[in-house]
Amino acid sequence: MRRGGVVGGLVLVVVALLAVVAPWVTDPAGLDVTRVDGPRLGAPSGEYWLGTDENGRSVLLLTWWGARVSLLVGVAAAVLSVGIGTLVGLVAAMAGGWVSAVLMRLTDFFLVLPSLVLAIALSTVLERGVGTIVLAIGLTSWPGAARLVRAQTLAVAARPYVERAHALGGGTVHVVVRHVLPGVVPLVVVNTTLAVGTAIVAESTLAFLGLGDPTAVSWGAMLRTASSTGAVTAGAWWYLVPPGLAIAGVVLAVTVCGRALETVLDPRLREPR
Amino acid sequence: MSDAPVVVAVERPRRRRLGRYVAGKVGGALLSLGLIAVLGFLLFRALPGDPVTTMTRGRPVSAAQIAELEAAYGLDRPLIEQFWSYLADLARGDLGMSYTFRVPVADKIAERVGPTLLLVGTGTLLAVALGLWLGTRSAWRRGGRFDKAATGVALGLWSVPTFWLGLLLLSWTSGLFPSGGITYPDTPPDFWSQAVDTAHHMVLPVITFVAVVYAQYQLVMRASLVEELSAPHLLTARAKGLREDQVLRRHAVPNALLPTVTLVFLHLGLVVSGAITVETVFSWPGLGLLTFEALRGPDLPLLQGTFLVLAAAVVLANLAADLLYRVLDPRVRAS
């Protein structure tokens, strides 16, 4: 599990670095349909290692640049969703009374609601763009984190040292920030990591349905064009396989990494040898 | 022990407790349905600012056309007035007129429910059977080669976007199976030809759906069975002289099924998103494809209709699960 986590982490670091350096290492002109001269849907060759798309652009270059949007949206949406979840969970655990009851009722409501349908609705009515996608994913995927954080907060808050802090005259805000939050942070970190994977898949799904930023290159948007321009039925596997493998690889790396982090931070989860 | 009084409880308090339980769950579901109705209004009427601009995005329209559309959808009235008439329409089952199909949204949805139920029902049954079987085998021989392989495959499939899997299947099996739709137009109308043709069209969508959905059932079943395997009553069962196979089937699996049932219903949202993507890839004429067609317009009344129907269906299925769970698990009855 640990070794898998390290491998997953390495994969993520490499992909993130590649995504960051893309504008300096590669020529962005290769993404402009008016300035490329490759063959239409050309098979992989010495010049175009992963073939070309229906406009003659290099699939390798598109996949490389696609990592930027996919990772950006994945991380931003995960941070937003776990951020909302942590806030709701903390308040629901510490406030008590009707505030807790209302918040938990709301969390349960959103937990049951089919999140893709809600995300589709949000991104349809709002202006198209990367920000909308982040908002749509973040606003629909927080309830799981909220429930976990609430449970963990309740467990931490019941410990004697928190009672001691109260007895010494610490106010609620002081106790939460200095004594309860540190016990909850590991769970939040793990949750954010796992949420990145879900968010990347959600981004690609929304982009595939045509709700993404029409000007941005992303893995989901590539699969959408591959499907809508008939590349799939024409047997252009080189247009279909790279973006999908990229999504699967990154999501798997994130998941393995998150689970390894979980066992490191929570010794109870380690399997007995 | 908090459940001690239950043993001596007489019949009437128990029945009253059942009544309170059912009332609580039904009340919660009604509240959720109300929230869905409000959310549907906020999302599609209040949030877009101007729904007509959203609907006509990218198309040249004259001011007269816009005014006509606004009047047709009642958008020229105050928001609160719109909300009341929206609720009144909803209570009558009137979901408005579709903008692209020019038919009542409710009719369009009714027409698409059948294919979705067929696809999702078949897919879910297969996925549950496969997931429970694999999960049971993994847990029984945990740490073994089968467990590692099965868990690895499940994690791998879970990381893959549904629609990509569908596209891959389409390109691999090119020509073997139809690429979309539910039947060919030239199939004879008698029952058997139609059924065979539908089954032929269903193969790829169902495989894709199962591949994405089964993993969660497998992982949950594995986890809950592993927990159950160390329970003392299994030692008793073995001491009685039961064979390992009987211990597993009669004593371990039934208990491990309970948490699985809860989680299966809690994750129904995943089933809905699976239906949307699978139906879009294979042009399966169900509610998922209807959602896709609605967002392309964008046909806001239609999208609002599918949103309301899908969300309400999930809430009602959860209510059914809560009530069923009480029948299945005596411990819930006691608490």
Side-chain angles (χ1 to χ4, degrees):
Chain A
M1 203 69 207
R2 293 265 199 109
R3 201 182 306 152
V6 172
V7 173
L10 277 178
V11 169
L12 289 181
V13 168
V14 170
V15 173
L17 275 180
L18 280 176
V20 169
V21 301
W24 290 282
V25 180
T26 62
D27 183 8
L31 298 171
D32 189 344
V33 289
T34 57
R35 288 160 66 188
V36 289
D37 51 1
R40 288 189 70 252
L41 280 183
S45 61
E47 191 183 355
Y48 299 101
W49 292 356
L50 291 178
T52 53
D53 74 347
E54 81 286 353
N55 290 315
R57 297 183 292 179
S58 159
V59 173
L60 178 65
L61 192 69
L62 287 174
T63 312
W64 191 337
W65 278 74
R68 293 168 65 84
V69 171
S70 295
L71 284 184
L72 179 73
V73 171
V75 172
V79 168
L80 179 64
S81 123
V82 178
I84 300 175
T86 307
L87 193 67
V88 172
L90 265 181
V91 173
M94 298 308 292
W98 65 271
V99 177
S100 282
V102 167
L103 280 179
M104 285 327 286
R105 182 71 236 165
L106 207 64
T107 307
D108 282 347
F109 169 68
F110 275 101
L111 192 67
V112 164
L113 217 59
S115 55
L116 181 64
V117 181
L118 196 57
I120 285 175
L122 269 176
S123 28
T124 307
V125 295
L126 298 177
E127 206 57 49
R128 296 282 150 94
V130 173
T132 297
I133 294 288
V134 170
L135 209 64
I137 299 172
L139 285 182
T140 53
S141 56
W142 57 268
R147 283 183 72 138
L148 281 175
V149 167
R150 174 176 169 269
Q152 178 77 4
T153 310
L154 285 176
V156 172
R159 291 195 188 144
Y161 73 85
V162 176
E163 198 184 338
R164 172 189 166 274
H166 274 300
L168 287 176
T172 311
V173 174
H174 168 83
V175 170
V176 168
V177 173
R178 294 296 298 272
H179 300 282
V180 175
L181 210 52
V184 180
V185 162
L187 183 87
V188 171
V189 171
V190 169
N191 232 278
T192 313
T193 320
L194 292 175
V196 172
T198 331
I200 289 178
V201 172
E203 188 273 334
S204 70
T205 306
L206 289 177
F208 178 73
L209 294 174
L211 292 167
D213 183 351
T215 57
V217 178
S218 84
W219 293 330
M222 285 174 73
L223 290 171
R224 173 183 166 75
T225 27
S227 155
S228 64
T229 58
V232 176
T233 34
W237 56 267
W238 57 87
Y239 194 9
L240 183 60
V241 174
L245 271 189
I247 297 171
V250 168
V251 172
L252 196 61
V254 168
T255 311
V256 173
C257 211
R259 293 185 111 200
L261 214 58
E262 207 171 11
T263 49
V264 171
L265 294 173
D266 187 352
R268 279 171 307 175
L269 285 174
R270 272 175 224 166
E271 302 232 341
R273 286 160 197 259
Chain B
M1 287 292 278
S2 59
D3 56 351
V6 175
V7 183
V8 293
V10 284
E11 193 55 31
R12 201 187 289 164
R14 185 182 289 181
R15 193 171 293 162
R16 196 183 298 156
R17 204 176 297 126
L18 172 70
R20 200 184 298 156
Y21 178 84
V22 170
K25 291 295 175 193
V26 171
L30 284 178
L31 192 64
S32 290
L33 289 179
L35 276 175
I36 288 172
V38 174
L39 203 59
F41 181 80
L42 288 180
L43 273 173
F44 297 100
R45 297 282 185 90
L47 199 59
D50 185 3
V52 169
T53 318
T54 311
M55 279 196 283
T56 55
R57 189 185 288 159
R59 253 167 285 163
V61 275
S62 66
Q65 278 172 310
I66 288 178
E68 192 188 322
L69 272 172
E70 274 179 351
Y73 289 99
L75 296 168
D76 44 0
R77 290 177 297 154
L79 214 52
I80 188 73
E81 208 175 293
Q82 285 184 45
F83 182 63
W84 291 124
S85 69
Y86 158 84
L87 280 188
D89 284 349
L90 213 55
R92 280 186 278 115
D94 179 2
L95 295 172
M97 284 293 273
S98 160
Y99 180 71
T100 41
F101 290 101
R102 310 243 168 230
V103 290
V105 170
D107 293 1
K108 201 74 203 165
I109 288 176
E111 170 193 321
R112 298 293 188 93
V113 167
T116 292
L117 283 182
L118 181 66
L119 175 68
V120 171
T122 317
T124 307
L125 280 181
L126 287 175
V128 169
L130 183 71
L132 294 189
W133 180 71
L134 287 173
T136 309
R137 270 204 69 174
S138 294
W140 194 241
R141 306 224 176 285
R142 66 180 178 285
R145 202 177 298 161
F146 182 84
D147 178 24
K148 280 191 179 134
T151 310
V153 168
L155 262 183
L157 283 176
W158 197 78
S159 311
V160 164
T162 320
F163 61 89
W164 184 57
L165 211 63
L167 292 176
L168 274 189
L169 280 176
L170 259 185
S171 84
W172 279 342
T173 62
S174 58
L176 266 181
F177 296 101
S179 63
I182 186 163
T183 47
Y184 288 119
D186 54 351
T187 310
D190 66 292
F191 177 76
W192 282 112
S193 323
Q194 287 286 333
V196 168
D197 194 26
T198 307
H200 190 211
H201 278 78
M202 263 174 81
V203 174
L204 290 186
V206 167
I207 291 179
T208 314
F209 186 82
V210 170
V212 184
V213 173
Y214 90 94
Q216 51 163 339
Y217 304 134
Q218 178 189 331
L219 296 175
V220 171
M221 184 63 188
R222 182 185 178 279
S224 73
L225 190 56
V226 163
E227 209 158 290
E228 197 59 42
L229 283 179
S230 53
H233 72 268
L234 293 192
L235 190 66
T236 314
R238 289 200 180 96
K240 274 197 318 192
L242 291 185
R243 279 182 281 113
E244 281 298 287
D245 181 47
Q246 289 172 313
V247 173
L248 176 69
R249 260 189 304 137
R250 289 206 204 143
H251 294 272
V253 170
N255 275 350
L257 273 178
L258 290 169
T260 315
V261 170
T262 329
L263 277 161
V264 163
F265 280 96
L266 208 57
H267 289 173
L268 268 182
L270 198 75
V271 168
V272 170
S273 38
I276 293 177
T277 41
V278 169
E279 286 182 7
T280 303
V281 171
F282 294 100
S283 314
W284 184 265
L287 285 179
L289 185 66
L290 193 62
T291 307
F292 176 66
E293 288 164 349
L295 70 87
R296 275 204 308 189
D299 185 342
L300 291 184
L302 189 58
L303 197 56
Q304 184 184 42
T306 56
F307 169 80
L308 291 174
V309 168
L310 288 174
V314 172
V315 166
L316 291 177
N318 265 284
L319 174 65
D322 277 336
L323 299 181
L324 186 72
Y325 198 59
R326 201 183 150 87
V327 178
L328 289 178
D329 190 349
R331 285 170 297 186
V332 180
R333 249 175 278 166
S335 63

